[in-house]
Amino acid sequence: MTYTSFLVSEFLLLWRRKQDVINALLFFVIVVTLFPLGVSSSAEFLAPAAGGIIWCAAVLAIMMAVEGMFKEDFRDGSLEQWVVSGLSLPILVLLKVVAQWLVVIVPLLAMMPILSEMLYLSDASFWVLIMTFLLGTPSLFLIGVIGAALTVSLRQGAMLVMLLILPFYLPVIIFSTLAIQAADAGLPYSGQLALLLAMSLLSLILSPFMAAIAIKASAG
Amino acid sequence: MRILGENGAGKSSLLKVIVGVISPLEGTIVYSGEDVTLDRAPLLQDAIYIGHSVGVKSLLTVAENIRRYCPTVSPEALSAVLKKLDLLDHMNAFASTLSAGQLRRVALARLWLTDKTLWLLDEPFAALDSTAIALLEERIRLHVSSGGLVVLTTHQALRSLPCRDVALMS
Amino acid sequence: MNWMWFHKLGSPKWFFFRTKAWALPLFSLGCVGLIVGLIWGLAFAPADYQQGNSFRIIYMHVPVAILAQSCYFALGVAGFVFLVWQMKIAPIFIKAMAPVGAIMALIALVSGAIWGKPTWGTWWVWDARLTSVLVLFFLYMGIIALQKALDDPVLANKAVAVISVVGLINLPIIKYSVVLLETLHQGPTFTLTKKPEMPPEMWLPLLVCMIGMCFFVAGLVIWRMQSEILQREHRTSWVREEVMKNGL
């Protein structure tokens, strides 16, 4: 196994399992529509809340997409093969996360114009929302992957991953919604974006190693 | 080298400890004169490990699965091996459609395509029919006669292979 | 410098015999400190000129709130120690500490809510420190849930160590992020660098409570660790001897 052949087969697998991604995206849209129907459909409520609603829904959808990431690899013995391949386990984890991120985030971004229109998000904050997504979601995937790696040996691990990982997602949600609110109010928002980027970089350094430790412990 | 022992004696665990999937509770692993207990890299460079779960992806085809582990294989070599293992008709079938014996043959196909010297095989004969067993024994004998080392666990009597036995006591 | 003691710390057996005599005295000392501090604070300390008697819950609230946070810090350090030096005692500490920390965070939340009602007129506000203690409680519960879910002890040890370290790194970020949301809570009661603003007859009992709470928790955790050690090492000969000699 080489890094390239690993990445190629990961993309192939994601393509063959595209229904999973579609499900996560549908889930995302449905959660978003709960708010206008469940709370209030007036523009006065939705416009200021839009950024927060979209982010909360996205966090849940990403959680769903990441939670079972290693389950199949664990069952069919691929995790063992990663460990014995002689390749660096953190890099394999990182490659898998990158593949998964690309496959989920691109359609998610593509749906953003429709959703922000449905929630009356102002044009100015729309681009900030996109930027917070590009800068913030990598850390969501990278942190989530630790939870997925820790619970890979459990049959029913989804709820546990949520409980473990959602608290760590709070800063990302807070920084993102603050950036969008600041943009709404016409204030500078580069500080919050920088914080998001910093979080993503920090998790880029730490999380592959943590996930690798967890995977190695689970594979045995 | 054959590792013998009752069910639960720790045959598979021993192989897993050697390749580093499990960390040993005590003791050291020495490979070609070097202590590799903390860093298995020198050992893994020369080793192939095929475990009880074979690491074949059900949503990849047979050919894609083999390419995943041996990316440099030429199409001719690939089809030659598949023909030998009676998998040529299934070359482009998803692994999810195969039987247990066929899955194991897909995993074992790597043995014909590799130049690694140390093979660690956990129950390689499980689920194989007699032709496949004969093929695998043949391949192992060839590997050993060319200077390779094979460590395997099995319950079956090896018909045509001379081997050194290591028995595990529980 | 001789590092022998540091390596010995890793051995559950060494830890067990070393701390065997400590648990009860620490625990009793903590109980006495807590009782003295609480009676002093509740009955004899002067009432606050703004908040009246309702401020007296401070004698419970502040010690548990401070300890809930510092104990999580200790969990993270223990997780790090386990990942780097593979010390067997570290996951035992995490397992013994996590439920105690969770309960302290819960008491801090409940006592804070009870204090908040007369002072702010509401049980709950989304203030930075309240929210961060709530998140702290979730983090503790996550560790406990993970520990309970994983049957394989080797995997469970690694897993709780990983999640504790991740939590230790993330906790400051979480705290900073909730501080960015507005804050309503009064400033910290104790800081190490400044003299407290309260009169001594108010903060002295608080200090006694604080120290009593530390001893109480230390004794409790050592106790829990010892029973965990006995459970984990129940096959070894030294445990058998110990139980034969002294009973359970």
Side-chain angles (χ1 to χ4, degrees):
Chain A
M1 190 154 38
T2 61
Y3 293 121
T4 335
S5 77
F6 173 77
L7 194 59
V8 167
S9 59
E10 283 307 320
F11 272 117
L12 253 176
L13 283 168
L14 282 168
W15 174 247
R16 302 244 162 94
R17 248 189 278 120
K18 46 192 172 300
Q19 188 61 41
D20 288 1
V21 175
I22 297 173
N23 289 351
L25 292 174
L26 280 175
F27 175 74
F28 169 64
V29 177
I30 291 174
V31 173
V32 168
T33 48
L34 288 181
F35 286 87
L37 302 179
V39 188
S40 157
S41 55
S42 69
E44 295 84 69
F45 163 70
L46 286 176
I53 294 173
I54 291 179
W55 256 99
C56 289
V59 159
L60 292 177
I62 288 172
M63 195 82 253
M64 289 290 181
V66 171
E67 165 268 315
M69 229 168 104
F70 301 116
K71 281 267 156 70
E72 211 189 280
D73 295 316
F74 176 72
R75 267 199 300 270
D76 64 20
S78 297
L79 282 192
E80 277 177 6
Q81 291 297 334
W82 297 6
V83 175
V84 304
S85 64
L87 304 174
S88 139
L89 202 47
I91 294 183
L92 290 179
V93 171
L94 190 60
L95 287 177
K96 190 161 170 123
V97 175
V98 169
Q100 185 96 19
W101 181 72
L102 281 175
V103 167
V104 174
I105 207 68
V106 170
L108 210 59
L109 286 179
M111 283 192 315
M112 255 355 139
I114 308 168
L115 287 175
S116 58
E117 202 60 36
M118 282 162 74
L119 296 177
Y120 311 109
L121 188 72
S122 67
D123 290 342
S125 5
F126 174 73
W127 290 108
V128 183
L129 175 70
I130 299 287
M131 295 231 272
T132 57
F133 256 79
L134 286 174
L135 294 175
T137 49
S139 69
L140 296 188
F141 277 80
L142 286 164
I143 298 172
V145 90
I146 301 177
L150 286 173
T151 57
V152 69
S153 59
L154 298 174
R155 217 170 283 275
Q156 300 290 337
M159 200 53 91
L160 185 59
V161 179
M162 298 262 180
L163 181 59
L164 279 180
I165 295 304
L166 278 180
F168 298 132
Y169 281 2
L170 286 180
V172 181
I173 301 180
I174 291 175
F175 295 146
S176 305
T177 48
L178 283 180
I180 297 166
Q181 280 166 8
D184 254 343
L187 298 169
Y189 48 81
S190 53
Q192 286 89 330
L193 293 185
L195 283 169
L196 283 175
L197 181 64
M199 273 210 73
S200 287
L201 290 177
L202 181 70
S203 29
L204 184 68
I205 297 166
L206 286 171
S207 107
F209 291 98
M210 291 297 167
I213 294 174
I215 283 180
K216 216 177 151 204
S218 304
Chain B
M1 184 182 290
R2 179 167 60 151
I3 301 170
L4 296 170
E6 298 162 34
N7 290 342
K11 300 187 293 293
S12 307
S13 304
L14 178 60
L15 281 190
K16 284 184 181 177
V17 168
I18 294 176
V19 289
V21 174
I22 306 180
S23 349
L25 288 175
E26 47 193 43
T28 50
I29 314 270
V30 180
Y31 177 67
S32 51
E34 207 179 330
D35 184 349
V36 292
T37 316
L38 288 177
D39 181 17
R40 293 287 198 296
L43 186 149
L44 293 177
Q45 263 172 10
D46 304 334
I48 277 192
Y49 165 75
I50 297 177
H52 203 70
S53 349
V54 288
V56 171
K57 289 261 146 222
S58 57
L59 280 177
L60 295 180
T61 65
V62 171
E64 283 162 355
N65 261 309
I66 294 174
R67 284 233 167 74
R68 180 156 178 261
Y69 290 110
C70 314
T72 51
V73 63
S74 68
E76 296 80 39
L78 181 63
S79 44
V81 169
L82 290 180
K83 192 163 178 205
K84 185 173 271 185
L85 289 168
D86 196 21
L87 287 166
L88 200 54
D89 298 341
H90 303 285
M91 185 166 161
N92 293 315
F94 286 130
S96 52
T97 60
L98 301 183
S99 74
Q102 287 170 319
L103 276 181
R104 187 157 288 270
R105 275 184 273 161
V106 173
L108 292 171
R110 285 164 68 190
L111 300 180
W112 275 266
L113 299 167
T114 180
D115 52 358
K116 305 224 170 164
T117 48
L118 173 61
W119 296 357
L120 300 146
L121 309 175
D122 192 0
E123 299 283 353
F125 300 106
L128 291 185
D129 57 20
S130 52
T131 12
I133 292 177
L135 264 172
L136 181 58
E137 288 191 0
E138 178 62 36
R139 177 66 190 120
I140 291 177
R141 189 168 46 227
L142 191 69
H143 180 64
V144 172
S145 64
S146 64
L149 176 63
V150 181
V151 182
L152 57 87
T153 67
T154 185
H155 290 298
Q156 257 155 327
L158 299 177
R159 262 168 286 170
S160 60
L161 281 177
C163 60
R164 233 179 350 165
D165 286 344
V166 177
L168 292 180
M169 303 295 175
S170 43
Chain C
M1 188 172 163
N2 187 0
W3 282 92
M4 209 47 214
W5 64 272
F6 188 64
H7 292 288
K8 271 192 187 151
L9 259 183
S11 143
K13 182 186 170 188
W14 186 86
F15 180 87
F16 183 86
F17 285 112
R18 202 59 208 263
T19 56
K20 217 176 119 185
W22 290 8
L24 190 63
L26 277 177
F27 189 75
S28 331
L29 205 63
C31 284
V32 172
L34 270 181
I35 292 169
V36 169
L38 283 178
I39 293 178
W40 188 357
L42 294 183
F44 298 106
D48 189 79
Y49 76 101
Q50 260 181 339
Q51 301 182 7
N53 279 325
S54 70
F55 98 100
R56 290 180 196 278
I57 203 165
I58 200 174
Y59 297 110
M60 197 67 220
H61 178 74
V62 169
V64 288
I66 291 180
L67 269 181
Q69 292 180 49
S70 30
C71 288
Y72 196 84
F73 182 76
L75 283 193
V77 173
F80 183 76
V81 165
F82 182 67
L83 292 184
V84 177
W85 290 290
Q86 311 282 330
M87 279 192 184
K88 270 189 181 166
I89 199 76
I92 298 177
F93 171 75
I94 296 178
K95 191 176 177 188
M97 185 77 247
V100 179
I103 290 171
M104 284 194 296
L106 189 64
I107 297 177
L109 284 172
V110 172
S111 61
I114 296 171
W115 191 5
K117 186 63 186 169
T119 321
W120 300 329
T122 165
W123 296 104
W124 182 261
V125 281
W126 289 99
D127 147 85
R129 277 209 263 167
L130 272 80
T131 315
S132 65
V133 175
L134 182 65
V135 175
L136 193 67
F137 176 67
F138 291 152
L139 292 179
Y140 275 123
M141 291 315 283
I143 295 179
I144 298 170
L146 187 65
Q147 173 88 52
K148 286 220 188 312
L150 297 170
D151 297 327
D152 174 20
V154 178
L155 175 58
N157 286 348
K158 273 272 165 61
V160 290
V162 166
I163 202 73
S164 308
V165 171
V166 174
L168 177 66
I169 296 165
N170 266 280
L171 199 61
I173 305 175
I174 296 175
K175 285 200 86 167
Y176 176 70
S177 74
V178 288
V179 166
L180 276 187
L181 301 167
E182 263 176 296
T183 185
L184 184 73
H185 203 286
Q186 54 175 282
T189 314
F190 276 150
T191 50
L192 287 176
T193 45
K194 264 190 290 183
K195 246 184 111 168
E197 283 169 20
M198 290 181 182
E201 41 298 5
M202 270 161 108
W203 64 255
L204 263 179
L206 184 54
L207 194 64
V208 174
C209 278
M210 186 69 229
I211 295 169
M213 197 72 201
C214 287
F215 281 120
F216 179 80
V217 168
L220 190 63
V221 169
I222 289 177
W223 228 329
R224 288 176 55 88
M225 283 171 79
Q226 285 178 344
S227 56
E228 181 66 27
I229 290 172
L230 285 182
Q231 256 176 42
R232 287 194 185 197
E233 311 260 315
H234 72 277
R235 288 215 196 108
T236 59
S237 55
W238 72 264
V239 170
R240 206 167 302 132
E241 269 169 40
E242 172 68 20
V243 175
M244 296 290 261
K245 207 165 62 187
N246 297 331
L248 277 171

